[in-house]
Amino acid sequence: MARILPAMASQMIIVFFLLCSFSATFISAEEEQGFGKSLDPKQHKLKKEKLSHFHFFFHDILSGKNPTAIQIVPPPTNTSTTGFGSVAIMDDPLTVGPNISSKTIGRAQGLYASASQEEFALLMVMNLAFTEGKYNGSSLSILGRNPGATIKVREFPVIGGSGLFRFARGYALANTHALNMTTGDAVIEYNVYVFHY
Ligand SMILES: *[C@@H]1O[C@H](CO)[C@@H](O)[C@H](O)[C@H]1NC(C)=O
Ligand SMILES: *[C@@H]1O[C@H](CO)[C@@H](O)[C@H](O)[C@H]1NC(C)=O
Ligand SMILES: *[C@@H]1O[C@H](CO)[C@@H](O)[C@H](O)[C@H]1NC(C)=O
Ligand SMILES: *[C@@H]1O[C@H](CO)[C@@H](O)[C@H](O)[C@H]1NC(C)=O
Protein backbone atom coordinates (compact mmCIF):
# COMPACT_ATOMS: atom_id res chain seq x y z
CA MET A 1 0.00 0.00 0.00
CA ALA A 2 2.58 2.51 1.14
CA ARG A 3 4.64 1.97 -2.00
CA ILE A 4 1.72 1.95 -4.48
CA LEU A 5 0.24 5.28 -3.35
CA PRO A 6 3.28 7.48 -4.09
CA ALA A 7 3.61 5.75 -7.46
CA MET A 8 -0.02 6.56 -8.35
CA ALA A 9 0.40 10.11 -7.16
CA SER A 10 3.41 10.74 -9.37
CA GLN A 11 1.55 9.24 -12.37
CA MET A 12 -1.36 11.56 -11.73
CA ILE A 13 0.93 14.56 -11.53
CA ILE A 14 2.45 13.66 -14.92
CA VAL A 15 -1.05 13.26 -16.47
CA PHE A 16 -2.10 16.58 -14.96
CA PHE A 17 0.87 18.42 -16.46
CA LEU A 18 0.29 16.77 -19.83
CA LEU A 19 -3.37 17.90 -19.81
CA CYS A 20 -2.37 21.42 -18.85
CA SER A 21 0.16 21.78 -21.63
CA PHE A 22 -2.28 20.28 -24.17
CA SER A 23 -5.15 22.64 -23.33
CA ALA A 24 -2.75 25.59 -23.27
CA THR A 25 -1.80 24.95 -26.90
CA PHE A 26 -5.48 24.87 -27.97
CA ILE A 27 -6.63 28.05 -26.20
CA SER A 28 -6.95 30.79 -28.76
CA ALA A 29 -5.37 34.17 -28.32
CA GLU A 30 -8.84 35.66 -27.93
CA GLU A 31 -9.79 33.40 -25.03
CA GLU A 32 -6.49 33.97 -23.34
CA GLN A 33 -7.03 37.70 -23.36
CA GLY A 34 -10.58 37.76 -21.99
CA PHE A 35 -13.86 36.07 -21.30
CA GLY A 36 -15.88 37.01 -24.39
CA LYS A 37 -15.86 36.06 -28.03
CA SER A 38 -17.92 36.80 -31.11
CA LEU A 39 -20.56 34.31 -32.24
CA ASP A 40 -22.48 33.66 -35.42
CA PRO A 41 -26.10 34.80 -34.70
CA LYS A 42 -27.46 32.18 -37.14
CA GLN A 43 -26.03 29.39 -35.02
CA HIS A 44 -27.96 30.75 -32.06
CA LYS A 45 -31.39 30.64 -33.74
CA LEU A 46 -31.30 34.40 -34.31
CA LYS A 47 -32.24 34.27 -37.97
CA LYS A 48 -34.96 36.79 -38.63
CA GLU A 49 -36.19 39.61 -36.46
CA LYS A 50 -39.99 39.80 -36.13
CA LEU A 51 -42.31 42.63 -35.18
CA SER A 52 -45.18 41.62 -32.88
CA HIS A 53 -48.16 43.49 -31.52
CA PHE A 54 -49.89 42.68 -28.23
CA HIS A 55 -53.19 44.09 -27.04
CA PHE A 56 -54.52 43.58 -23.51
CA PHE A 57 -55.94 45.32 -20.46
CA PHE A 58 -54.04 45.99 -17.25
CA HIS A 59 -55.93 46.06 -13.95
CA ASP A 60 -54.45 48.15 -11.14
CA ILE A 61 -56.61 47.45 -8.09
CA LEU A 62 -55.88 49.44 -4.95
CA SER A 63 -59.19 48.89 -3.12
CA GLY A 64 -60.85 45.94 -1.43
CA LYS A 65 -59.51 42.90 0.33
CA ASN A 66 -57.27 41.75 -2.50
CA PRO A 67 -55.49 44.77 -3.97
CA THR A 68 -53.08 44.04 -6.83
CA ALA A 69 -50.97 47.13 -6.10
CA ILE A 70 -49.85 48.23 -2.66
CA GLN A 71 -48.13 51.38 -1.60
CA ILE A 72 -44.94 50.40 0.19
CA VAL A 73 -43.53 53.92 0.69
CA PRO A 74 -46.01 56.70 1.44
CA PRO A 75 -45.23 60.22 0.25
CA PRO A 76 -43.56 62.37 2.89
CA THR A 77 -46.29 64.44 4.58
CA ASN A 78 -45.40 67.89 3.33
CA THR A 79 -44.25 67.39 -0.19
CA SER A 80 -46.08 68.51 -3.29
CA THR A 81 -49.50 67.47 -4.47
CA THR A 82 -47.84 64.99 -6.81
CA GLY A 83 -47.10 62.49 -4.03
CA PHE A 84 -43.42 62.82 -4.90
CA GLY A 85 -41.46 60.03 -3.24
CA SER A 86 -44.19 57.41 -2.90
CA VAL A 87 -43.58 53.89 -4.17
CA ALA A 88 -46.05 51.10 -4.94
CA ILE A 89 -45.46 47.48 -5.89
CA MET A 90 -47.85 45.83 -8.33
CA ASP A 91 -48.79 42.35 -9.44
CA ASP A 92 -51.50 43.44 -11.84
CA PRO A 93 -53.47 40.96 -13.95
CA LEU A 94 -53.42 41.38 -17.74
CA THR A 95 -56.60 40.28 -19.51
CA VAL A 96 -57.74 40.05 -23.12
CA GLY A 97 -60.79 42.27 -22.51
CA PRO A 98 -61.54 45.23 -20.24
CA ASN A 99 -63.58 43.04 -17.90
CA ILE A 100 -61.35 41.52 -15.24
CA SER A 101 -63.27 38.25 -15.60
CA SER A 102 -62.05 37.93 -19.20
CA LYS A 103 -59.14 35.58 -19.91
CA THR A 104 -55.93 36.36 -18.02
CA ILE A 105 -52.87 36.26 -20.27
CA GLY A 106 -50.22 37.42 -17.84
CA ARG A 107 -49.29 39.79 -15.07
CA ALA A 108 -47.51 43.12 -14.82
CA GLN A 109 -45.07 42.80 -11.94
CA GLY A 110 -42.92 45.63 -10.73
CA LEU A 111 -43.15 49.03 -9.18
CA TYR A 112 -44.26 52.55 -9.87
CA ALA A 113 -42.99 55.57 -8.02
CA SER A 114 -44.00 59.20 -8.04
CA ALA A 115 -40.89 60.77 -9.52
CA SER A 116 -41.92 64.32 -10.42
CA GLN A 117 -42.27 67.34 -8.13
CA GLU A 118 -43.91 69.54 -10.76
CA GLU A 119 -46.67 67.36 -12.16
CA PHE A 120 -48.06 63.91 -11.48
CA ALA A 121 -45.67 61.51 -13.24
CA LEU A 122 -44.72 57.99 -12.33
CA LEU A 123 -41.56 56.02 -12.96
CA MET A 124 -42.74 52.61 -14.26
CA VAL A 125 -40.42 49.63 -13.77
CA MET A 126 -42.14 46.36 -14.63
CA ASN A 127 -42.02 42.98 -16.26
CA LEU A 128 -44.96 41.81 -18.35
CA ALA A 129 -44.91 38.12 -17.48
CA PHE A 130 -47.02 36.20 -19.98
CA THR A 131 -48.79 33.01 -18.94
CA GLU A 132 -50.74 32.01 -22.06
CA GLY A 133 -50.04 30.10 -25.24
CA LYS A 134 -46.57 30.07 -26.73
CA TYR A 135 -45.59 33.18 -24.76
CA ASN A 136 -46.18 31.40 -21.44
CA GLY A 137 -42.99 31.85 -19.42
CA SER A 138 -41.63 34.70 -21.57
CA SER A 139 -41.53 38.28 -20.35
CA LEU A 140 -41.03 41.84 -21.55
CA SER A 141 -39.28 44.46 -19.44
CA ILE A 142 -40.54 48.02 -19.39
CA LEU A 143 -38.91 51.13 -18.00
CA GLY A 144 -40.76 54.36 -18.61
CA ARG A 145 -42.23 57.65 -17.54
CA ASN A 146 -45.97 57.83 -16.93
CA PRO A 147 -47.49 61.34 -16.75
CA GLY A 148 -50.91 59.73 -16.26
CA ALA A 149 -52.86 62.86 -15.37
CA THR A 150 -51.80 65.01 -18.31
CA ILE A 151 -51.15 62.72 -21.27
CA LYS A 152 -53.95 60.53 -22.62
CA VAL A 153 -51.78 57.89 -24.30
CA ARG A 154 -48.50 57.33 -22.49
CA GLU A 155 -45.53 55.64 -24.14
CA PHE A 156 -43.08 53.41 -22.29
CA PRO A 157 -39.95 51.90 -23.81
CA VAL A 158 -39.69 48.10 -23.88
CA ILE A 159 -36.05 47.64 -23.02
CA GLY A 160 -35.67 43.88 -23.20
CA GLY A 161 -37.21 40.51 -22.62
CA SER A 162 -36.72 36.87 -21.81
CA GLY A 163 -37.65 33.57 -23.45
CA LEU A 164 -39.24 34.28 -26.84
CA PHE A 165 -38.46 37.94 -26.24
CA ARG A 166 -34.69 37.71 -25.99
CA PHE A 167 -33.14 40.83 -27.53
CA ALA A 168 -36.58 42.51 -27.51
CA ARG A 169 -36.98 46.21 -27.94
CA GLY A 170 -40.00 48.34 -28.64
CA TYR A 171 -42.64 50.45 -26.97
CA ALA A 172 -45.92 50.17 -25.10
CA LEU A 173 -48.84 52.57 -25.45
CA ALA A 174 -50.98 52.87 -22.34
CA ASN A 175 -54.45 54.41 -22.53
CA THR A 176 -56.72 54.67 -19.47
CA HIS A 177 -59.91 52.73 -20.15
CA ALA A 178 -61.54 53.25 -16.74
CA LEU A 179 -60.51 55.05 -13.57
CA ASN A 180 -62.40 55.18 -10.29
CA MET A 181 -61.47 58.55 -8.80
CA THR A 182 -62.59 57.42 -5.32
CA THR A 183 -60.57 54.23 -5.04
CA GLY A 184 -57.86 54.83 -7.63
CA ASP A 185 -58.69 51.48 -9.28
CA ALA A 186 -57.79 51.65 -12.95
CA VAL A 187 -58.14 49.60 -16.11
CA ILE A 188 -55.51 50.54 -18.69
CA GLU A 189 -55.54 49.43 -22.30
CA TYR A 190 -52.11 48.42 -23.58
CA ASN A 191 -50.82 48.18 -27.14
CA VAL A 192 -47.29 46.82 -27.19
CA TYR A 193 -45.08 46.71 -30.28
CA VAL A 194 -41.85 44.72 -30.07
CA PHE A 195 -39.06 43.59 -32.31
CA HIS A 196 -37.74 40.20 -31.24
CA TYR A 197 -36.45 36.97 -32.80
C1 LIG B 1 -42.52 70.05 6.68
O1 LIG B 1 -43.11 71.32 6.71
C2 LIG B 1 -42.81 72.03 7.92
C3 LIG B 1 -43.58 73.33 7.89
O2 LIG B 1 -43.45 74.01 6.69
C4 LIG B 1 -41.31 72.26 8.05
O3 LIG B 1 -41.01 72.91 9.24
C5 LIG B 1 -40.61 70.91 8.02
O4 LIG B 1 -39.22 71.09 8.00
C6 LIG B 1 -41.03 70.10 6.78
N1 LIG B 1 -40.48 68.77 6.86
C7 LIG B 1 -39.79 68.23 5.88
C8 LIG B 1 -39.34 66.84 6.10
O5 LIG B 1 -39.55 68.82 4.85
C1 LIG C 1 -67.77 41.12 -16.43
O1 LIG C 1 -68.02 39.76 -16.64
C2 LIG C 1 -68.86 39.18 -15.66
C3 LIG C 1 -68.87 37.68 -15.91
O2 LIG C 1 -68.94 37.40 -17.26
C4 LIG C 1 -70.22 39.83 -15.75
O3 LIG C 1 -71.06 39.28 -14.76
C5 LIG C 1 -70.06 41.32 -15.53
O4 LIG C 1 -71.31 41.97 -15.70
C6 LIG C 1 -69.05 41.91 -16.48
N1 LIG C 1 -68.82 43.29 -16.10
C7 LIG C 1 -68.87 44.29 -16.96
C8 LIG C 1 -68.55 45.65 -16.44
O5 LIG C 1 -69.14 44.12 -18.15
C1 LIG D 1 -47.59 27.93 -18.28
O1 LIG D 1 -46.39 27.37 -17.84
C2 LIG D 1 -46.46 26.90 -16.50
C3 LIG D 1 -45.06 26.50 -16.09
O2 LIG D 1 -44.46 25.72 -17.08
C4 LIG D 1 -47.46 25.77 -16.43
O3 LIG D 1 -47.57 25.30 -15.10
C5 LIG D 1 -48.82 26.29 -16.88
O4 LIG D 1 -49.76 25.24 -16.91
C6 LIG D 1 -48.71 26.92 -18.25
N1 LIG D 1 -49.97 27.56 -18.58
C7 LIG D 1 -50.58 27.41 -19.75
C8 LIG D 1 -51.87 28.13 -19.90
O5 LIG D 1 -50.13 26.74 -20.64
C1 LIG E 1 -65.76 53.57 -7.37
O1 LIG E 1 -65.58 52.69 -6.30
C2 LIG E 1 -66.53 52.86 -5.26
C3 LIG E 1 -66.11 51.96 -4.12
O2 LIG E 1 -65.97 50.63 -4.55
C4 LIG E 1 -67.90 52.52 -5.79
O3 LIG E 1 -68.85 52.71 -4.78
C5 LIG E 1 -68.20 53.42 -6.98
O4 LIG E 1 -69.42 53.03 -7.58
C6 LIG E 1 -67.10 53.32 -8.01
N1 LIG E 1 -67.30 54.30 -9.04
C7 LIG E 1 -67.37 54.00 -10.32
C8 LIG E 1 -67.55 55.13 -11.27
O5 LIG E 1 -67.25 52.84 -10.72
Side-chain angles (χ1 to χ4, degrees), residues 65-102:
K65 269 188 257 164
N66 298 305
T68 63
I70 51 171
Q71 191 177 67
I72 54 158
V73 179
T77 46
N78 40 342
T79 51
S80 57
T81 52
T82 66
F84 180 64
S86 66
V87 181
I89 300 286
M90 73 185 124
D91 182 7
D92 287 350
L94 307 175
T95 60
V96 289
N99 191 331
I100 195 160
S101 330
S102 65

mmCIF file of all heavy atoms in Angstrom, residues 65-102:
data_model
loop_
_atom_site.group_PDB
_atom_site.id
_atom_site.type_symbol
_atom_site.label_atom_id
_atom_site.label_comp_id
_atom_site.label_asym_id
_atom_site.label_seq_id
_atom_site.Cartn_x
_atom_site.Cartn_y
_atom_site.Cartn_z
ATOM 1 N N LYS A 65 -60.289 43.830 -0.495
ATOM 2 C CA LYS A 65 -59.510 42.900 0.328
ATOM 3 C C LYS A 65 -58.293 42.341 -0.403
ATOM 4 O O LYS A 65 -57.338 41.895 0.220
ATOM 5 C CB LYS A 65 -60.404 41.736 0.783
ATOM 6 C CG LYS A 65 -61.079 42.021 2.127
ATOM 7 C CD LYS A 65 -61.804 40.786 2.652
ATOM 8 C CE LYS A 65 -63.294 40.907 2.425
ATOM 9 N NZ LYS A 65 -64.077 39.716 2.522
ATOM 10 N N ASN A 66 -58.371 42.326 -1.731
ATOM 11 C CA ASN A 66 -57.270 41.754 -2.503
ATOM 12 C C ASN A 66 -56.702 42.756 -3.508
ATOM 13 O O ASN A 66 -56.839 42.574 -4.719
ATOM 14 C CB ASN A 66 -57.738 40.489 -3.242
ATOM 15 C CG ASN A 66 -58.184 39.420 -2.273
ATOM 16 O OD1 ASN A 66 -57.436 39.028 -1.371
ATOM 17 N ND2 ASN A 66 -59.408 38.962 -2.432
ATOM 18 N N PRO A 67 -56.067 43.806 -3.019
ATOM 19 C CA PRO A 67 -55.492 44.771 -3.967
ATOM 20 C C PRO A 67 -54.363 44.117 -4.767
ATOM 21 O O PRO A 67 -53.689 43.209 -4.271
ATOM 22 C CB PRO A 67 -54.960 45.887 -3.067
ATOM 23 C CG PRO A 67 -54.777 45.267 -1.732
ATOM 24 C CD PRO A 67 -55.775 44.156 -1.621
ATOM 25 N N THR A 68 -54.174 44.585 -6.005
ATOM 26 C CA THR A 68 -53.084 44.041 -6.825
ATOM 27 C C THR A 68 -51.881 44.986 -6.809
ATOM 28 O O THR A 68 -50.818 44.656 -7.325
ATOM 29 C CB THR A 68 -53.542 43.810 -8.275
ATOM 30 O OG1 THR A 68 -53.899 45.069 -8.841
ATOM 31 C CG2 THR A 68 -54.730 42.858 -8.336
ATOM 32 N N ALA A 69 -52.084 46.181 -6.248
ATOM 33 C CA ALA A 69 -50.971 47.130 -6.102
ATOM 34 C C ALA A 69 -51.024 47.689 -4.684
ATOM 35 O O ALA A 69 -52.096 48.071 -4.211
ATOM 36 C CB ALA A 69 -51.077 48.246 -7.123
ATOM 37 N N ILE A 70 -49.890 47.707 -4.029
ATOM 38 C CA ILE A 70 -49.851 48.231 -2.658
ATOM 39 C C ILE A 70 -48.748 49.280 -2.532
ATOM 40 O O ILE A 70 -47.658 49.109 -3.066
ATOM 41 C CB ILE A 70 -49.636 47.113 -1.602
ATOM 42 C CG1 ILE A 70 -48.442 46.229 -1.968
ATOM 43 C CG2 ILE A 70 -50.892 46.283 -1.421
ATOM 44 C CD1 ILE A 70 -48.045 45.268 -0.886
ATOM 45 N N GLN A 71 -49.124 50.337 -1.821
ATOM 46 C CA GLN A 71 -48.131 51.380 -1.600
ATOM 47 C C GLN A 71 -47.179 50.901 -0.506
ATOM 48 O O GLN A 71 -47.622 50.525 0.579
ATOM 49 C CB GLN A 71 -48.830 52.662 -1.152
ATOM 50 C CG GLN A 71 -47.909 53.856 -1.161
ATOM 51 C CD GLN A 71 -48.630 55.141 -0.797
ATOM 52 O OE1 GLN A 71 -49.066 55.312 0.321
ATOM 53 N NE2 GLN A 71 -48.758 56.022 -1.764
ATOM 54 N N ILE A 72 -45.905 50.872 -0.810
ATOM 55 C CA ILE A 72 -44.939 50.403 0.186
ATOM 56 C C ILE A 72 -44.184 51.563 0.833
ATOM 57 O O ILE A 72 -43.640 51.421 1.918
ATOM 58 C CB ILE A 72 -43.942 49.377 -0.395
ATOM 59 C CG1 ILE A 72 -43.253 49.926 -1.648
ATOM 60 C CG2 ILE A 72 -44.635 48.072 -0.693
ATOM 61 C CD1 ILE A 72 -41.957 49.246 -1.947
ATOM 62 N N VAL A 73 -44.138 52.714 0.116
ATOM 63 C CA VAL A 73 -43.525 53.918 0.692
ATOM 64 C C VAL A 73 -44.529 55.044 0.517
ATOM 65 O O VAL A 73 -44.858 55.411 -0.612
ATOM 66 C CB VAL A 73 -42.197 54.286 -0.010
ATOM 67 C CG1 VAL A 73 -41.607 55.553 0.590
ATOM 68 C CG2 VAL A 73 -41.197 53.144 0.075
ATOM 69 N N PRO A 74 -45.080 55.582 1.598
ATOM 70 C CA PRO A 74 -46.012 56.702 1.445
ATOM 71 C C PRO A 74 -45.259 57.985 1.120
ATOM 72 O O PRO A 74 -44.059 58.085 1.425
ATOM 73 C CB PRO A 74 -46.680 56.791 2.811
ATOM 74 C CG PRO A 74 -45.714 56.175 3.760
ATOM 75 C CD PRO A 74 -44.850 55.224 2.991
ATOM 76 N N PRO A 75 -45.938 58.963 0.518
ATOM 77 C CA PRO A 75 -45.233 60.217 0.250
ATOM 78 C C PRO A 75 -44.940 60.918 1.569
ATOM 79 O O PRO A 75 -45.751 60.848 2.490
ATOM 80 C CB PRO A 75 -46.226 61.016 -0.590
ATOM 81 C CG PRO A 75 -47.549 60.407 -0.344
ATOM 82 C CD PRO A 75 -47.322 58.981 0.054
ATOM 83 N N PRO A 76 -43.826 61.588 1.676
ATOM 84 C CA PRO A 76 -43.555 62.367 2.893
ATOM 85 C C PRO A 76 -44.685 63.387 3.074
ATOM 86 O O PRO A 76 -45.198 63.911 2.083
ATOM 87 C CB PRO A 76 -42.231 63.060 2.582
ATOM 88 C CG PRO A 76 -41.618 62.253 1.485
ATOM 89 C CD PRO A 76 -42.743 61.698 0.696
ATOM 90 N N THR A 77 -45.073 63.650 4.319
ATOM 91 C CA THR A 77 -46.285 64.439 4.577
ATOM 92 C C THR A 77 -46.341 65.794 3.888
ATOM 93 O O THR A 77 -47.373 66.152 3.353
ATOM 94 C CB THR A 77 -46.490 64.628 6.092
ATOM 95 O OG1 THR A 77 -45.235 65.014 6.635
ATOM 96 C CG2 THR A 77 -47.017 63.379 6.745
ATOM 97 N N ASN A 78 -45.252 66.558 3.915
ATOM 98 C CA ASN A 78 -45.397 67.887 3.330
ATOM 99 C C ASN A 78 -44.722 68.098 1.990
ATOM 100 O O ASN A 78 -44.223 69.143 1.707
ATOM 101 C CB ASN A 78 -45.012 69.009 4.300
ATOM 102 C CG ASN A 78 -43.806 68.680 5.115
ATOM 103 O OD1 ASN A 78 -43.445 67.545 5.219
ATOM 104 N ND2 ASN A 78 -43.171 69.685 5.676
ATOM 105 N N THR A 79 -44.734 67.131 1.167
ATOM 106 C CA THR A 79 -44.247 67.386 -0.192
ATOM 107 C C THR A 79 -45.411 67.846 -1.049
ATOM 108 O O THR A 79 -46.533 68.014 -0.581
ATOM 109 C CB THR A 79 -43.590 66.152 -0.842
ATOM 110 O OG1 THR A 79 -44.470 65.076 -0.712
ATOM 111 C CG2 THR A 79 -42.243 65.874 -0.240
ATOM 112 N N SER A 80 -45.128 67.973 -2.308
ATOM 113 C CA SER A 80 -46.080 68.507 -3.286
ATOM 114 C C SER A 80 -47.356 67.678 -3.393
ATOM 115 O O SER A 80 -47.473 66.597 -2.824
ATOM 116 C CB SER A 80 -45.377 68.514 -4.634
ATOM 117 O OG SER A 80 -44.962 67.193 -4.906
ATOM 118 N N THR A 81 -48.242 68.163 -4.206
ATOM 119 C CA THR A 81 -49.502 67.468 -4.474
ATOM 120 C C THR A 81 -49.280 66.262 -5.375
ATOM 121 O O THR A 81 -50.213 65.516 -5.652
ATOM 122 C CB THR A 81 -50.460 68.429 -5.188
ATOM 123 O OG1 THR A 81 -49.769 68.972 -6.308
ATOM 124 C CG2 THR A 81 -50.931 69.545 -4.276
ATOM 125 N N THR A 82 -48.084 66.088 -5.871
ATOM 126 C CA THR A 82 -47.839 64.988 -6.809
ATOM 127 C C THR A 82 -47.508 63.673 -6.092
ATOM 128 O O THR A 82 -47.313 62.660 -6.743
ATOM 129 C CB THR A 82 -46.668 65.315 -7.761
ATOM 130 O OG1 THR A 82 -45.468 65.389 -6.995
ATOM 131 C CG2 THR A 82 -46.891 66.629 -8.492
ATOM 132 N N GLY A 83 -47.436 63.713 -4.767
ATOM 133 C CA GLY A 83 -47.101 62.491 -4.030
ATOM 134 C C GLY A 83 -45.659 62.087 -4.223
ATOM 135 O O GLY A 83 -45.293 60.918 -4.024
ATOM 136 N N PHE A 84 -44.845 63.064 -4.618
ATOM 137 C CA PHE A 84 -43.424 62.818 -4.900
ATOM 138 C C PHE A 84 -42.769 61.980 -3.804
ATOM 139 O O PHE A 84 -42.858 62.315 -2.630
ATOM 140 C CB PHE A 84 -42.705 64.166 -5.034
ATOM 141 C CG PHE A 84 -41.245 64.060 -5.328
ATOM 142 C CD1 PHE A 84 -40.796 63.495 -6.509
ATOM 143 C CD2 PHE A 84 -40.301 64.517 -4.415
ATOM 144 C CE1 PHE A 84 -39.451 63.402 -6.800
ATOM 145 C CE2 PHE A 84 -38.946 64.424 -4.689
ATOM 146 C CZ PHE A 84 -38.523 63.860 -5.883
ATOM 147 N N GLY A 85 -42.157 60.875 -4.203
ATOM 148 C CA GLY A 85 -41.456 60.031 -3.242
ATOM 149 C C GLY A 85 -42.178 58.746 -2.896
ATOM 150 O O GLY A 85 -41.578 57.845 -2.313
ATOM 151 N N SER A 86 -43.467 58.635 -3.262
ATOM 152 C CA SER A 86 -44.190 57.414 -2.902
ATOM 153 C C SER A 86 -43.858 56.283 -3.882
ATOM 154 O O SER A 86 -43.550 56.529 -5.054
ATOM 155 C CB SER A 86 -45.694 57.670 -2.870
ATOM 156 O OG SER A 86 -46.157 57.953 -4.158
ATOM 157 N N VAL A 87 -43.916 55.081 -3.359
ATOM 158 C CA VAL A 87 -43.585 53.893 -4.166
ATOM 159 C C VAL A 87 -44.650 52.824 -3.950
ATOM 160 O O VAL A 87 -45.055 52.575 -2.810
ATOM 161 C CB VAL A 87 -42.201 53.316 -3.779
ATOM 162 C CG1 VAL A 87 -41.857 52.096 -4.636
ATOM 163 C CG2 VAL A 87 -41.094 54.362 -3.891
ATOM 164 N N ALA A 88 -45.099 52.206 -5.028
ATOM 165 C CA ALA A 88 -46.052 51.096 -4.944
ATOM 166 C C ALA A 88 -45.511 49.895 -5.704
ATOM 167 O O ALA A 88 -44.807 50.056 -6.706
ATOM 168 C CB ALA A 88 -47.399 51.516 -5.527
ATOM 169 N N ILE A 89 -45.833 48.724 -5.207
ATOM 170 C CA ILE A 89 -45.462 47.475 -5.892
ATOM 171 C C ILE A 89 -46.739 46.861 -6.456
ATOM 172 O O ILE A 89 -47.764 46.835 -5.766
ATOM 173 C CB ILE A 89 -44.798 46.480 -4.917
ATOM 174 C CG1 ILE A 89 -43.516 47.059 -4.301
ATOM 175 C CG2 ILE A 89 -44.500 45.147 -5.617
ATOM 176 C CD1 ILE A 89 -42.318 47.118 -5.202
ATOM 177 N N MET A 90 -46.655 46.399 -7.688
ATOM 178 C CA MET A 90 -47.846 45.826 -8.326
ATOM 179 C C MET A 90 -47.623 44.400 -8.796
ATOM 180 O O MET A 90 -46.501 43.991 -9.101
ATOM 181 C CB MET A 90 -48.243 46.672 -9.533
ATOM 182 C CG MET A 90 -47.278 46.481 -10.684
ATOM 183 S SD MET A 90 -47.603 47.528 -12.074
ATOM 184 C CE MET A 90 -46.026 48.337 -12.220
ATOM 185 N N ASP A 91 -48.729 43.673 -8.799
ATOM 186 C CA ASP A 91 -48.790 42.354 -9.440
ATOM 187 C C ASP A 91 -50.146 42.354 -10.136
ATOM 188 O O ASP A 91 -51.092 41.742 -9.670
ATOM 189 C CB ASP A 91 -48.673 41.244 -8.379
ATOM 190 C CG ASP A 91 -48.671 39.864 -9.001
ATOM 191 O OD1 ASP A 91 -48.631 39.761 -10.243
ATOM 192 O OD2 ASP A 91 -48.725 38.876 -8.236
ATOM 193 N N ASP A 92 -50.227 43.149 -11.204
ATOM 194 C CA ASP A 92 -51.504 43.444 -11.845
ATOM 195 C C ASP A 92 -51.856 42.443 -12.942
ATOM 196 O O ASP A 92 -51.033 42.194 -13.831
ATOM 197 C CB ASP A 92 -51.441 44.852 -12.462
ATOM 198 C CG ASP A 92 -51.498 45.961 -11.419
ATOM 199 O OD1 ASP A 92 -51.764 45.668 -10.243
ATOM 200 O OD2 ASP A 92 -51.279 47.131 -11.791
ATOM 201 N N PRO A 93 -53.087 41.893 -12.883
ATOM 202 C CA PRO A 93 -53.466 40.960 -13.951
ATOM 203 C C PRO A 93 -53.615 41.648 -15.305
ATOM 204 O O PRO A 93 -54.021 42.808 -15.380
ATOM 205 C CB PRO A 93 -54.800 40.377 -13.473
ATOM 206 C CG PRO A 93 -55.294 41.277 -12.416
ATOM 207 C CD PRO A 93 -54.127 42.035 -11.871
ATOM 208 N N LEU A 94 -53.264 40.924 -16.350
ATOM 209 C CA LEU A 94 -53.423 41.383 -17.735
ATOM 210 C C LEU A 94 -54.465 40.476 -18.380
ATOM 211 O O LEU A 94 -54.328 39.245 -18.340
ATOM 212 C CB LEU A 94 -52.094 41.263 -18.496
ATOM 213 C CG LEU A 94 -50.874 41.920 -17.848
ATOM 214 C CD1 LEU A 94 -49.600 41.604 -18.652
ATOM 215 C CD2 LEU A 94 -51.065 43.425 -17.727
ATOM 216 N N THR A 95 -55.517 41.076 -18.937
ATOM 217 C CA THR A 95 -56.598 40.275 -19.512
ATOM 218 C C THR A 95 -56.839 40.660 -20.970
ATOM 219 O O THR A 95 -56.491 41.767 -21.385
ATOM 220 C CB THR A 95 -57.904 40.462 -18.717
ATOM 221 O OG1 THR A 95 -58.265 41.844 -18.764
ATOM 222 C CG2 THR A 95 -57.756 40.033 -17.261
ATOM 223 N N VAL A 96 -57.504 39.771 -21.698
ATOM 224 C CA VAL A 96 -57.745 40.046 -23.121
ATOM 225 C C VAL A 96 -58.783 41.151 -23.329
ATOM 226 O O VAL A 96 -58.724 41.885 -24.303
ATOM 227 C CB VAL A 96 -58.161 38.787 -23.922
ATOM 228 C CG1 VAL A 96 -56.999 37.850 -24.080
ATOM 229 C CG2 VAL A 96 -59.341 38.088 -23.289
ATOM 230 N N GLY A 97 -59.757 41.244 -22.397
ATOM 231 C CA GLY A 97 -60.787 42.269 -22.509
ATOM 232 C C GLY A 97 -60.735 43.216 -21.325
ATOM 233 O O GLY A 97 -59.978 42.986 -20.369
ATOM 234 N N PRO A 98 -61.560 44.276 -21.360
ATOM 235 C CA PRO A 98 -61.544 45.234 -20.245
ATOM 236 C C PRO A 98 -62.150 44.680 -18.955
ATOM 237 O O PRO A 98 -61.856 45.194 -17.878
ATOM 238 C CB PRO A 98 -62.363 46.416 -20.787
ATOM 239 C CG PRO A 98 -63.128 45.888 -21.941
ATOM 240 C CD PRO A 98 -62.380 44.726 -22.480
ATOM 241 N N ASN A 99 -62.984 43.656 -19.087
ATOM 242 C CA ASN A 99 -63.577 43.035 -17.902
ATOM 243 C C ASN A 99 -62.544 42.122 -17.241
ATOM 244 O O ASN A 99 -61.969 41.250 -17.904
ATOM 245 C CB ASN A 99 -64.817 42.228 -18.334
ATOM 246 C CG ASN A 99 -65.642 41.769 -17.152
ATOM 247 O OD1 ASN A 99 -65.125 41.543 -16.059
ATOM 248 N ND2 ASN A 99 -66.940 41.627 -17.373
ATOM 249 N N ILE A 100 -62.370 42.309 -15.943
ATOM 250 C CA ILE A 100 -61.351 41.518 -15.239
ATOM 251 C C ILE A 100 -61.658 40.019 -15.264
ATOM 252 O O ILE A 100 -60.757 39.193 -15.089
ATOM 253 C CB ILE A 100 -61.127 42.048 -13.798
ATOM 254 C CG1 ILE A 100 -59.833 41.483 -13.212
ATOM 255 C CG2 ILE A 100 -62.342 41.756 -12.919
ATOM 256 C CD1 ILE A 100 -59.254 42.230 -12.074
ATOM 257 N N SER A 101 -62.921 39.684 -15.508
ATOM 258 C CA SER A 101 -63.268 38.255 -15.604
ATOM 259 C C SER A 101 -62.892 37.666 -16.956
ATOM 260 O O SER A 101 -63.011 36.462 -17.153
ATOM 261 C CB SER A 101 -64.763 38.021 -15.405
ATOM 262 O OG SER A 101 -65.317 38.964 -14.587
ATOM 263 N N SER A 102 -62.473 38.489 -17.905
ATOM 264 C CA SER A 102 -62.048 37.927 -19.198
ATOM 265 C C SER A 102 -60.718 37.201 -19.003
ATOM 266 O O SER A 102 -60.075 37.325 -17.964
ATOM 267 C CB SER A 102 -61.959 39.020 -20.260
ATOM 268 O OG SER A 102 -60.962 39.962 -19.954
#
